[in-house]
Amino acid sequence: MCVTFAVGGCATAPLERAGSLRSYDRMSDANGLVTRSQIRVNKQDVLAAKTIRIGSTVFPARADVELNEKERRLVANAISRELCLRLSERFRIVSSDDEADLTVQATVTHAKPTSPTASGASKALSIAKTVALPGVPVPVPRLPVGLGSLSVEAEARDFAGFQKAAMVWARSANSIASSARVANEGDAYDLAAEFGADFAKLVATGESPFGGVPALPPMESIPVRLGGAPKYVACEAFGRFPGLTGFVGQGLGLPPEWTDAGANESPANGPAPPPVPEVNSGQMLTQ
């Protein structure tokens, strides 16, 4: 549902099941202001866990998703990198060669591309406002057209393969809070971090990530976001955050590939699992 009075125009992100989760039983609705999701979590077991392994996020090609392989890789890696940073706050992150209490795997089920033309027009309007009204702190919303979206599902399994936390998640870009990047994958790339934050909170706390007062990021995460080394070596598999260059690029509306080097060529967490089957209309969740 698009909350127009709160966030302006937005796209519609389908909440879909791709079949990558071990189980979809007993999942319950847990929605935020601009996010739809269904979750399931065994709070006692996730709180007892100490170590965690993060698999490379899967983003298979789909006929109805107009993103090329490079664009999909950037979005998928952005999810894995955000998960690694967020989960590092609570768990010790290990590589695929080490035993872990939990293993996390995410799969992108759908993504609507951003319209570069609409994003470029929005950025032009923002620049025009800056020239015409310098120093006036009036935000310029994006044009409510050509907005992208992202849908993801993920789970955390224990060492025996039993599901301990699961989430099916969908979120759309909006006219006010979303940056206007001149790239097909622009919105999906930015939304990847939002999913990573939500799923990491579910696994770390055993509770819904929606509602309550947003927590400030821990001080130790700031150097990592600025391009520094992650807390755990296993997170190097997903490359470094773009840092100041990335923040500037986002502000200017540059394509993510201009500032993000992506994953390392030899990820420490091992190869991604085989692609999941394409989602058909019969797998979409009822709303």
Side-chain angles (χ1 to χ4, degrees):
M1 176 176 174
C2 179
V3 188
T4 54
F5 68 87
V7 296
C10 60
T12 300
L15 198 61
E16 296 184 346
R17 294 176 174 178
S20 72
L21 304 188
R22 176 174 289 268
S23 174
Y24 295 87
D25 294 340
R26 300 190 302 278
M27 298 189 76
S28 59
D29 292 334
N31 299 324
L33 180 62
V34 292
T35 305
R36 295 181 299 157
S37 80
Q38 290 196 337
I39 63 173
R40 176 190 176 192
V41 62
N42 184 318
K43 184 173 182 177
Q44 180 178 351
D45 287 351
V46 296
L47 291 183
K50 304 296 183 184
T51 57
I52 200 163
R53 180 191 299 116
I54 301 173
S56 298
T57 298
V58 178
F59 191 170
R62 285 181 46 160
D64 58 345
V65 175
E66 300 173 8
L67 297 180
N68 62 36
E69 182 181 356
K70 185 174 184 180
E71 293 163 347
R72 297 196 310 274
R73 282 203 310 266
L74 275 174
V75 173
N77 189 66
I79 291 174
S80 300
R81 186 167 54 204
E82 188 70 24
L83 284 171
C84 217
L85 173 62
R86 297 277 185 163
L87 291 169
S88 294
E89 299 169 13
R90 159 81 169 79
F91 301 94
R92 179 166 62 87
I93 312 298
V94 302
S95 71
S96 59
D97 296 330
D98 299 316
E99 294 184 355
D101 298 324
L102 296 174
T103 296
V104 165
Q105 181 63 57
T107 299
V108 178
T109 58
H110 194 273
K112 180 180 179 181
T114 306
S115 167
T117 301
S119 293
S122 295
K123 190 58 63 177
L125 289 174
S126 178
I127 294 173
K129 175 266 171 186
T130 302
V131 173
L133 300 171
V136 179
V138 178
V140 179
R142 286 175 62 176
L143 297 174
V145 294
L147 302 173
S149 68
L150 183 69
S151 303
V152 192
E153 63 182 18
E155 67 182 354
R157 299 179 182 176
D158 67 8
F159 64 92
F162 293 106
Q163 185 186 85
K164 298 302 177 181
M167 173 181 280
V168 180
W169 184 98
R171 182 165 171 176
S172 306
N174 62 75
S175 297
I176 296 176
S178 303
S179 301
R181 290 182 183 266
V182 186
N184 290 330
E185 76 280 16
D187 288 322
Y189 176 86
D190 290 339
L191 291 169
E194 302 295 336
F195 168 78
D198 287 344
F199 187 68
K201 187 173 181 179
L202 175 70
V203 176
T205 67
E207 298 179 353
S208 169
F210 308 109
V213 179
L216 294 174
M219 292 298 295
E220 57 265 29
S221 72
I222 295 177
V224 181
R225 291 199 181 278
L226 291 177
K231 183 177 180 180
Y232 296 105
V233 174
C235 291
E236 291 279 15
F238 310 116
R240 302 284 179 91
F241 281 85
L244 288 175
T245 302
F247 290 121
V248 172
Q250 183 180 30
L252 295 175
L254 301 180
E257 65 177 15
W258 289 23
T259 57
D260 190 341
N264 290 334
E265 292 187 3
S266 299
N269 287 357
V276 297
E278 287 195 7
V279 178
N280 58 46
S281 57
Q283 293 172 292
M284 186 177 297
L285 299 179
T286 57
Q287 301 300 309

